[in-house]
Amino acid sequence: MKILVPTVIPIDLETPDGVTRVDYDVASPIPEEHRDAEAVVVWLNPGERLVALPSELPRVRWVQGLMAGTDAVQAAFAGTDVVIAAGAGLHDQPVAEHTLALILAAARRLDEALAAQAQGHWLEEHGGNQIRNRNGFTTLAGARVLIWGFGGIGLTLAGYLTALGAQVTGVARTAGERHGYRVITTADLPTELAATDVLVDILPGSPETDGAVGAEVFAALPEHAWFVNVGRGVTVDEAALDDALRAGSIAGAALDVFRTEPLPADSPLWHAPNTIITAHAAGGRPQQPGRLIAENLRRYRAGEQLLGTP
């Protein structure tokens, strides 16, 4: 069996007997002598190269993505019986850290502070008494945070938020309790949103989640609430978000992902009030990918379900 491993990041992977590892350049066509590979690991493959993989690898049966969401890989291999596995757990800590940074930036209005710094202006209103009240969001102590998409990343984030005094509720397909956290379904959203200080979107991109966060969601949030998106851009109705920001029906948004990336220069979100933008930077740091690949390689050869598959 042959497995192709990308060279864009160092991957510590020892293959067992009977498995040949071949390192490949994600920006170049797969060499003819390696087009018999049965498995391929993908990470930072340019779009046109990703789309070419099915034709270049006619014998591939397993694609191991190192990304949290495999929507682009699934699109490339649509209509095939190839097993596609996501980078389960590889981004839990990095994405949760970035999300926490966005939430804290919103609470402390670091966007305003940086803009004032660039102008050499001392923001007097940022000093003095900043005790949180029910009309504002200035601290995580006692803040009510709703995490929509309560998987590994959401659970890791919940731990960070809890340590800082926030009250965390998850939103998932099944209600109940998960690792000590209350979990609701989307059926309970209308009531829950009204009591939310921060709504965090960690939804994957799919036909079911396309535009899930839209005008109704923003209208249900209190005016002091912030919206944070580190999931997928397609999950948000960006026109509705822009309307909500400009109307002041929500306090602000911290966004890391968008429907079109890079975010077009003419997107109104660049200039929407109280908006913090990062360039899809929450992930990009897969943690110990070799361990996941090795475990899924073992499972693949044993005919077991792979980690990161439905």
PDB file of all heavy atoms in Angstrom, residues 148-176:
ATOM      1  N   TRP A 148     -22.733  27.341  18.823  1.00  0.00           N
ATOM      2  CA  TRP A 148     -23.530  26.594  17.837  1.00  0.00           C
ATOM      3  C   TRP A 148     -22.564  25.754  16.999  1.00  0.00           C
ATOM      4  O   TRP A 148     -21.826  26.248  16.174  1.00  0.00           O
ATOM      5  CB  TRP A 148     -24.291  27.580  16.958  1.00  0.00           C
ATOM      6  CG  TRP A 148     -25.388  26.973  16.137  1.00  0.00           C
ATOM      7  CD1 TRP A 148     -25.646  25.651  15.941  1.00  0.00           C
ATOM      8  CD2 TRP A 148     -26.391  27.689  15.400  1.00  0.00           C
ATOM      9  NE1 TRP A 148     -26.736  25.484  15.128  1.00  0.00           N
ATOM     10  CE2 TRP A 148     -27.216  26.718  14.779  1.00  0.00           C
ATOM     11  CE3 TRP A 148     -26.654  29.039  15.189  1.00  0.00           C
ATOM     12  CZ2 TRP A 148     -28.287  27.084  13.964  1.00  0.00           C
ATOM     13  CZ3 TRP A 148     -27.725  29.392  14.386  1.00  0.00           C
ATOM     14  CH2 TRP A 148     -28.537  28.420  13.779  1.00  0.00           C
ATOM     15  N   GLY A 149     -22.598  24.450  17.238  1.00  0.00           N
ATOM     16  CA  GLY A 149     -21.637  23.511  16.672  1.00  0.00           C
ATOM     17  C   GLY A 149     -20.734  23.057  17.798  1.00  0.00           C
ATOM     18  O   GLY A 149     -19.618  23.554  17.970  1.00  0.00           O
ATOM     19  N   PHE A 150     -21.232  22.105  18.605  1.00  0.00           N
ATOM     20  CA  PHE A 150     -20.567  21.779  19.869  1.00  0.00           C
ATOM     21  C   PHE A 150     -19.786  20.475  19.758  1.00  0.00           C
ATOM     22  O   PHE A 150     -20.059  19.501  20.447  1.00  0.00           O
ATOM     23  CB  PHE A 150     -21.601  21.711  20.990  1.00  0.00           C
ATOM     24  CG  PHE A 150     -21.033  21.945  22.368  1.00  0.00           C
ATOM     25  CD1 PHE A 150     -20.425  23.146  22.681  1.00  0.00           C
ATOM     26  CD2 PHE A 150     -21.116  20.974  23.347  1.00  0.00           C
ATOM     27  CE1 PHE A 150     -19.907  23.374  23.946  1.00  0.00           C
ATOM     28  CE2 PHE A 150     -20.609  21.185  24.609  1.00  0.00           C
ATOM     29  CZ  PHE A 150     -19.999  22.383  24.920  1.00  0.00           C
ATOM     30  N   GLY A 151     -18.779  20.493  18.868  1.00  0.00           N
ATOM     31  CA  GLY A 151     -17.890  19.348  18.733  1.00  0.00           C
ATOM     32  C   GLY A 151     -16.627  19.558  19.559  1.00  0.00           C
ATOM     33  O   GLY A 151     -16.645  20.206  20.599  1.00  0.00           O
ATOM     34  N   GLY A 152     -15.503  19.016  19.052  1.00  0.00           N
ATOM     35  CA  GLY A 152     -14.249  19.102  19.786  1.00  0.00           C
ATOM     36  C   GLY A 152     -13.781  20.528  20.008  1.00  0.00           C
ATOM     37  O   GLY A 152     -13.313  20.885  21.097  1.00  0.00           O
ATOM     38  N   ILE A 153     -13.891  21.364  18.972  1.00  0.00           N
ATOM     39  CA  ILE A 153     -13.473  22.761  19.102  1.00  0.00           C
ATOM     40  C   ILE A 153     -14.362  23.482  20.114  1.00  0.00           C
ATOM     41  O   ILE A 153     -13.874  24.192  20.998  1.00  0.00           O
ATOM     42  CB  ILE A 153     -13.528  23.480  17.738  1.00  0.00           C
ATOM     43  CG1 ILE A 153     -12.504  22.882  16.782  1.00  0.00           C
ATOM     44  CG2 ILE A 153     -13.275  24.980  17.912  1.00  0.00           C
ATOM     45  CD1 ILE A 153     -12.629  23.376  15.351  1.00  0.00           C
ATOM     46  N   GLY A 154     -15.669  23.289  19.983  1.00  0.00           N
ATOM     47  CA  GLY A 154     -16.600  23.937  20.894  1.00  0.00           C
ATOM     48  C   GLY A 154     -16.387  23.531  22.332  1.00  0.00           C
ATOM     49  O   GLY A 154     -16.455  24.369  23.247  1.00  0.00           O
ATOM     50  N   LEU A 155     -16.110  22.247  22.545  1.00  0.00           N
ATOM     51  CA  LEU A 155     -15.888  21.768  23.909  1.00  0.00           C
ATOM     52  C   LEU A 155     -14.601  22.348  24.494  1.00  0.00           C
ATOM     53  O   LEU A 155     -14.552  22.735  25.665  1.00  0.00           O
ATOM     54  CB  LEU A 155     -15.826  20.239  23.916  1.00  0.00           C
ATOM     55  CG  LEU A 155     -15.677  19.584  25.290  1.00  0.00           C
ATOM     56  CD1 LEU A 155     -16.854  19.949  26.188  1.00  0.00           C
ATOM     57  CD2 LEU A 155     -15.573  18.072  25.142  1.00  0.00           C
ATOM     58  N   THR A 156     -13.555  22.431  23.667  1.00  0.00           N
ATOM     59  CA  THR A 156     -12.299  23.028  24.139  1.00  0.00           C
ATOM     60  C   THR A 156     -12.503  24.496  24.484  1.00  0.00           C
ATOM     61  O   THR A 156     -12.045  24.983  25.518  1.00  0.00           O
ATOM     62  CB  THR A 156     -11.205  22.888  23.067  1.00  0.00           C
ATOM     63  OG1 THR A 156     -11.018  21.502  22.756  1.00  0.00           O
ATOM     64  CG2 THR A 156      -9.880  23.465  23.548  1.00  0.00           C
ATOM     65  N   LEU A 157     -13.209  25.202  23.608  1.00  0.00           N
ATOM     66  CA  LEU A 157     -13.517  26.616  23.859  1.00  0.00           C
ATOM     67  C   LEU A 157     -14.329  26.767  25.137  1.00  0.00           C
ATOM     68  O   LEU A 157     -14.085  27.681  25.931  1.00  0.00           O
ATOM     69  CB  LEU A 157     -14.271  27.205  22.673  1.00  0.00           C
ATOM     70  CG  LEU A 157     -14.794  28.633  22.833  1.00  0.00           C
ATOM     71  CD1 LEU A 157     -13.647  29.609  23.018  1.00  0.00           C
ATOM     72  CD2 LEU A 157     -15.661  29.026  21.639  1.00  0.00           C
ATOM     73  N   ALA A 158     -15.277  25.880  25.335  1.00  0.00           N
ATOM     74  CA  ALA A 158     -16.124  25.953  26.527  1.00  0.00           C
ATOM     75  C   ALA A 158     -15.287  25.895  27.801  1.00  0.00           C
ATOM     76  O   ALA A 158     -15.567  26.610  28.773  1.00  0.00           O
ATOM     77  CB  ALA A 158     -17.150  24.820  26.508  1.00  0.00           C
ATOM     78  N   GLY A 159     -14.251  25.062  27.794  1.00  0.00           N
ATOM     79  CA  GLY A 159     -13.378  24.976  28.960  1.00  0.00           C
ATOM     80  C   GLY A 159     -12.668  26.287  29.240  1.00  0.00           C
ATOM     81  O   GLY A 159     -12.570  26.724  30.393  1.00  0.00           O
ATOM     82  N   TYR A 160     -12.159  26.923  28.175  1.00  0.00           N
ATOM     83  CA  TYR A 160     -11.490  28.220  28.335  1.00  0.00           C
ATOM     84  C   TYR A 160     -12.465  29.265  28.880  1.00  0.00           C
ATOM     85  O   TYR A 160     -12.124  30.045  29.778  1.00  0.00           O
ATOM     86  CB  TYR A 160     -10.938  28.716  26.993  1.00  0.00           C
ATOM     87  CG  TYR A 160      -9.868  27.854  26.365  1.00  0.00           C
ATOM     88  CD1 TYR A 160      -9.571  27.969  25.015  1.00  0.00           C
ATOM     89  CD2 TYR A 160      -9.150  26.921  27.108  1.00  0.00           C
ATOM     90  CE1 TYR A 160      -8.586  27.199  24.418  1.00  0.00           C
ATOM     91  CE2 TYR A 160      -8.169  26.136  26.523  1.00  0.00           C
ATOM     92  CZ  TYR A 160      -7.893  26.282  25.174  1.00  0.00           C
ATOM     93  OH  TYR A 160      -6.918  25.513  24.587  1.00  0.00           O
ATOM     94  N   LEU A 161     -13.667  29.293  28.314  1.00  0.00           N
ATOM     95  CA  LEU A 161     -14.661  30.287  28.715  1.00  0.00           C
ATOM     96  C   LEU A 161     -15.111  30.079  30.158  1.00  0.00           C
ATOM     97  O   LEU A 161     -15.280  31.031  30.915  1.00  0.00           O
ATOM     98  CB  LEU A 161     -15.859  30.230  27.780  1.00  0.00           C
ATOM     99  CG  LEU A 161     -15.604  30.621  26.315  1.00  0.00           C
ATOM    100  CD1 LEU A 161     -16.807  30.283  25.452  1.00  0.00           C
ATOM    101  CD2 LEU A 161     -15.270  32.105  26.205  1.00  0.00           C
ATOM    102  N   THR A 162     -15.297  28.826  30.526  1.00  0.00           N
ATOM    103  CA  THR A 162     -15.709  28.512  31.893  1.00  0.00           C
ATOM    104  C   THR A 162     -14.663  28.970  32.891  1.00  0.00           C
ATOM    105  O   THR A 162     -14.989  29.504  33.959  1.00  0.00           O
ATOM    106  CB  THR A 162     -15.958  27.002  32.040  1.00  0.00           C
ATOM    107  OG1 THR A 162     -16.987  26.600  31.130  1.00  0.00           O
ATOM    108  CG2 THR A 162     -16.377  26.651  33.454  1.00  0.00           C
ATOM    109  N   ALA A 163     -13.394  28.782  32.549  1.00  0.00           N
ATOM    110  CA  ALA A 163     -12.313  29.203  33.440  1.00  0.00           C
ATOM    111  C   ALA A 163     -12.333  30.708  33.683  1.00  0.00           C
ATOM    112  O   ALA A 163     -11.867  31.185  34.722  1.00  0.00           O
ATOM    113  CB  ALA A 163     -10.964  28.790  32.859  1.00  0.00           C
ATOM    114  N   LEU A 164     -12.908  31.462  32.738  1.00  0.00           N
ATOM    115  CA  LEU A 164     -12.982  32.916  32.857  1.00  0.00           C
ATOM    116  C   LEU A 164     -14.346  33.383  33.376  1.00  0.00           C
ATOM    117  O   LEU A 164     -14.635  34.573  33.376  1.00  0.00           O
ATOM    118  CB  LEU A 164     -12.678  33.565  31.508  1.00  0.00           C
ATOM    119  CG  LEU A 164     -11.224  33.405  31.045  1.00  0.00           C
ATOM    120  CD1 LEU A 164     -11.057  33.889  29.611  1.00  0.00           C
ATOM    121  CD2 LEU A 164     -10.283  34.162  31.968  1.00  0.00           C
ATOM    122  N   GLY A 165     -15.175  32.432  33.789  1.00  0.00           N
ATOM    123  CA  GLY A 165     -16.423  32.782  34.452  1.00  0.00           C
ATOM    124  C   GLY A 165     -17.659  32.838  33.592  1.00  0.00           C
ATOM    125  O   GLY A 165     -18.726  33.244  34.067  1.00  0.00           O
ATOM    126  N   ALA A 166     -17.557  32.431  32.323  1.00  0.00           N
ATOM    127  CA  ALA A 166     -18.724  32.485  31.442  1.00  0.00           C
ATOM    128  C   ALA A 166     -19.654  31.305  31.692  1.00  0.00           C
ATOM    129  O   ALA A 166     -19.246  30.253  32.188  1.00  0.00           O
ATOM    130  CB  ALA A 166     -18.279  32.496  29.988  1.00  0.00           C
ATOM    131  N   GLN A 167     -20.914  31.498  31.323  1.00  0.00           N
ATOM    132  CA  GLN A 167     -21.913  30.438  31.361  1.00  0.00           C
ATOM    133  C   GLN A 167     -22.106  29.940  29.928  1.00  0.00           C
ATOM    134  O   GLN A 167     -22.572  30.692  29.078  1.00  0.00           O
ATOM    135  CB  GLN A 167     -23.229  30.962  31.930  1.00  0.00           C
ATOM    136  CG  GLN A 167     -23.120  31.540  33.327  1.00  0.00           C
ATOM    137  CD  GLN A 167     -24.396  32.226  33.770  1.00  0.00           C
ATOM    138  OE1 GLN A 167     -25.473  31.985  33.223  1.00  0.00           O
ATOM    139  NE2 GLN A 167     -24.288  33.104  34.756  1.00  0.00           N
ATOM    140  N   VAL A 168     -21.739  28.693  29.669  1.00  0.00           N
ATOM    141  CA  VAL A 168     -21.698  28.164  28.303  1.00  0.00           C
ATOM    142  C   VAL A 168     -22.832  27.180  28.060  1.00  0.00           C
ATOM    143  O   VAL A 168     -23.087  26.286  28.873  1.00  0.00           O
ATOM    144  CB  VAL A 168     -20.352  27.479  28.023  1.00  0.00           C
ATOM    145  CG1 VAL A 168     -20.321  26.904  26.609  1.00  0.00           C
ATOM    146  CG2 VAL A 168     -19.202  28.472  28.226  1.00  0.00           C
ATOM    147  N   THR A 169     -23.485  27.349  26.906  1.00  0.00           N
ATOM    148  CA  THR A 169     -24.486  26.399  26.432  1.00  0.00           C
ATOM    149  C   THR A 169     -24.123  26.000  25.012  1.00  0.00           C
ATOM    150  O   THR A 169     -23.711  26.845  24.210  1.00  0.00           O
ATOM    151  CB  THR A 169     -25.895  27.018  26.446  1.00  0.00           C
ATOM    152  OG1 THR A 169     -26.234  27.386  27.785  1.00  0.00           O
ATOM    153  CG2 THR A 169     -26.937  26.028  25.925  1.00  0.00           C
ATOM    154  N   GLY A 170     -24.241  24.732  24.694  1.00  0.00           N
ATOM    155  CA  GLY A 170     -23.939  24.252  23.352  1.00  0.00           C
ATOM    156  C   GLY A 170     -25.206  24.041  22.538  1.00  0.00           C
ATOM    157  O   GLY A 170     -26.290  23.840  23.093  1.00  0.00           O
ATOM    158  N   VAL A 171     -25.049  24.096  21.222  1.00  0.00           N
ATOM    159  CA  VAL A 171     -26.155  23.790  20.307  1.00  0.00           C
ATOM    160  C   VAL A 171     -25.687  22.665  19.401  1.00  0.00           C
ATOM    161  O   VAL A 171     -24.653  22.777  18.732  1.00  0.00           O
ATOM    162  CB  VAL A 171     -26.553  25.006  19.447  1.00  0.00           C
ATOM    163  CG1 VAL A 171     -27.764  24.667  18.579  1.00  0.00           C
ATOM    164  CG2 VAL A 171     -26.838  26.216  20.313  1.00  0.00           C
ATOM    165  N   ALA A 172     -26.423  21.573  19.387  1.00  0.00           N
ATOM    166  CA  ALA A 172     -26.058  20.405  18.583  1.00  0.00           C
ATOM    167  C   ALA A 172     -27.331  19.727  18.085  1.00  0.00           C
ATOM    168  O   ALA A 172     -28.453  20.194  18.333  1.00  0.00           O
ATOM    169  CB  ALA A 172     -25.210  19.439  19.403  1.00  0.00           C
ATOM    170  N   ARG A 173     -27.164  18.629  17.375  1.00  0.00           N
ATOM    171  CA  ARG A 173     -28.329  17.930  16.829  1.00  0.00           C
ATOM    172  C   ARG A 173     -29.139  17.236  17.902  1.00  0.00           C
ATOM    173  O   ARG A 173     -30.350  17.036  17.743  1.00  0.00           O
ATOM    174  CB  ARG A 173     -27.856  16.900  15.788  1.00  0.00           C
ATOM    175  CG  ARG A 173     -27.251  17.525  14.535  1.00  0.00           C
ATOM    176  CD  ARG A 173     -26.793  16.457  13.577  1.00  0.00           C
ATOM    177  NE  ARG A 173     -26.237  17.038  12.345  1.00  0.00           N
ATOM    178  CZ  ARG A 173     -25.708  16.329  11.356  1.00  0.00           C
ATOM    179  NH1 ARG A 173     -25.671  14.997  11.444  1.00  0.00           N
ATOM    180  NH2 ARG A 173     -25.226  16.934  10.284  1.00  0.00           N
ATOM    181  N   THR A 174     -28.471  16.847  18.993  1.00  0.00           N
ATOM    182  CA  THR A 174     -29.144  16.138  20.072  1.00  0.00           C
ATOM    183  C   THR A 174     -29.008  16.928  21.365  1.00  0.00           C
ATOM    184  O   THR A 174     -27.905  17.344  21.722  1.00  0.00           O
ATOM    185  CB  THR A 174     -28.539  14.735  20.270  1.00  0.00           C
ATOM    186  OG1 THR A 174     -28.601  14.018  19.035  1.00  0.00           O
ATOM    187  CG2 THR A 174     -29.299  13.965  21.335  1.00  0.00           C
ATOM    188  N   ALA A 175     -30.113  17.138  22.045  1.00  0.00           N
ATOM    189  CA  ALA A 175     -30.096  17.875  23.308  1.00  0.00           C
ATOM    190  C   ALA A 175     -29.662  16.962  24.450  1.00  0.00           C
ATOM    191  O   ALA A 175     -29.647  15.741  24.324  1.00  0.00           O
ATOM    192  CB  ALA A 175     -31.482  18.450  23.582  1.00  0.00           C
ATOM    193  N   GLY A 176     -29.302  17.589  25.572  1.00  0.00           N
ATOM    194  CA  GLY A 176     -28.902  16.824  26.742  1.00  0.00           C
ATOM    195  C   GLY A 176     -27.762  17.502  27.466  1.00  0.00           C
ATOM    196  O   GLY A 176     -27.692  18.725  27.546  1.00  0.00           O
TER     197      GLY A 176
END
